[in-house]
């Protein structure tokens, strides 16, 4: 059955048709940004892959795709209903946010690139597409980014904790209130 999101925007139809290929490409990029031994230690190949994504403007492209996917749906579907109203869009958006999360792990240069996308990522928090986890990686270890946060981010986090009761919400609040266990002043 065709969902409400499918009928509203041509890009959503294309995503539905190419979903498997897009998710496979995102999985490949995520894997290239993940240490082979599963530890948090960044090996040379991982850093090289993360840097390549940045150098090729891959992070910006992913964020533009995220907005193209989720933006049209916001007009017809409540953000918290995207998973059921447009499951293919939800799956692709989640896979792409997974790439962002992996590319930002222990990579301050990539975290800094995503600073301009904070409002967009914040608007995606209620969609449950991985924006929480990506935000945690973007903010982790970056006092400058934490101090630049808009109060709207906190308001959205509190609302998300009330409605979604997700561990990711709590983790994001913890990450955005301190940097290396030192409180962040605003």
């Amino acid at each position: 059955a065709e969902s409400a999101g499918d009928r509203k925007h041509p890009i959503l139809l294309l995503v539905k048709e190419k979903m498997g290929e897009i998710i496979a490409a995102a999985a490949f990029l995520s894997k290239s940004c993940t240490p082979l031994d599963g530890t948090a230690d960044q090996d040379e190949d991982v850093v090289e892959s993360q840097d390549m994504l940045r150098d090729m403007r891959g992070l910006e492209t992913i964020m533009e795709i995220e907005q193209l996917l989720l933006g049209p749906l916001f007009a017809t579907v409540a953000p918290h209903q995207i998973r059921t109203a447009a499951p293919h869009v939800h799956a692709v958006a989640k896979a792409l946010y997974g790439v962002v999360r992996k590319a930002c792990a222990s990579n301050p240069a990539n975290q800094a690139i995503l600073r301009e996308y904070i409002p967009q990522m914040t608007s995606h928090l209620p969609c449950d597409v991985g924006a929480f986890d990506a935000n945690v990686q973007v903010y982790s270890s970056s006092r400058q980014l934490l101090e630049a946060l808009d109060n709207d981010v906190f308001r959205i986090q509190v609302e998300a904790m009330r409605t979604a009761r997700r561990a990711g919400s709590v983790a994001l609040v913890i990450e955005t209130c301190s940097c290396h266990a030192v409180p962040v002043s605003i």
Side-chain angles (χ1 to χ4, degrees), residues 85-115:
H88 56 284
V89 171
H90 181 269
V92 169
K94 192 167 187 113
L96 292 174
Y97 265 121
V99 175
V100 170
R101 181 175 56 87
K102 297 286 185 161
C104 289
S106 301
N107 193 313
N110 285 356
Q111 292 168 344
I113 291 288
L114 288 164
R115 181 178 184 169

Side-chain angles (χ1 to χ4, degrees), residues 16-180:
K16 187 173 186 177
E17 179 183 321
K18 300 289 186 182
M19 181 175 77
E21 294 169 50
I22 296 168
I23 290 175
F28 174 79
L29 291 171
S30 288
K31 186 176 180 180
S32 71
C33 293
T34 305
L36 293 176
D37 60 6
T39 66
D41 297 331
Q42 299 292 65
D43 61 34
E44 195 173 303
D45 291 336
V46 168
V47 173
E48 188 176 303
S49 293
Q50 290 174 325
D51 292 348
M52 184 176 60
L53 268 172
R54 180 183 64 250
D55 294 343
M56 294 176 62
R57 296 190 39 83
L59 295 171
E60 293 95 331
T61 301
I62 287 171
M63 294 309 298
E64 289 168 14
I65 292 169
E66 291 283 10
Q67 191 58 33
L68 285 171
L69 290 175
L70 297 172
L73 286 177
F74 284 179
T76 58
V77 178
H80 67 278
Q81 294 175 335
I82 287 179
R83 178 189 304 247
T84 54
H88 56 284
V89 171
H90 181 269
V92 169
K94 192 167 187 113
L96 292 174
Y97 265 121
V99 175
V100 170
R101 181 175 56 87
K102 297 286 185 161
C104 289
S106 301
N107 193 313
N110 285 356
Q111 292 168 344
I113 291 288
L114 288 164
R115 181 178 184 169
E116 73 179 86
Y117 295 98
I118 289 173
Q120 176 184 329
M121 292 170 68
T122 300
S123 74
H124 296 165
L125 292 176
C127 302
D128 191 28
V129 290
F132 278 111
D133 298 329
N135 269 308
V136 168
Q137 280 301 331
V138 169
Y139 295 125
S140 67
S141 307
S142 180
R143 185 174 240 8
Q144 182 182 10
L145 286 176
L146 291 170
E147 289 173 348
L149 276 176
D150 187 303
N151 283 335
D152 287 343
V153 173
F154 295 105
R155 191 175 62 253
I156 289 171
Q157 291 173 27
V158 169
E159 184 58 32
M161 284 192 294
R162 280 191 204 140
T163 58
R165 307 255 190 231
R166 292 190 63 246
S169 304
V170 176
L172 186 55
V173 169
I174 291 168
E175 286 291 331
T176 56
C177 291
S178 67
C179 184
H180 299 292

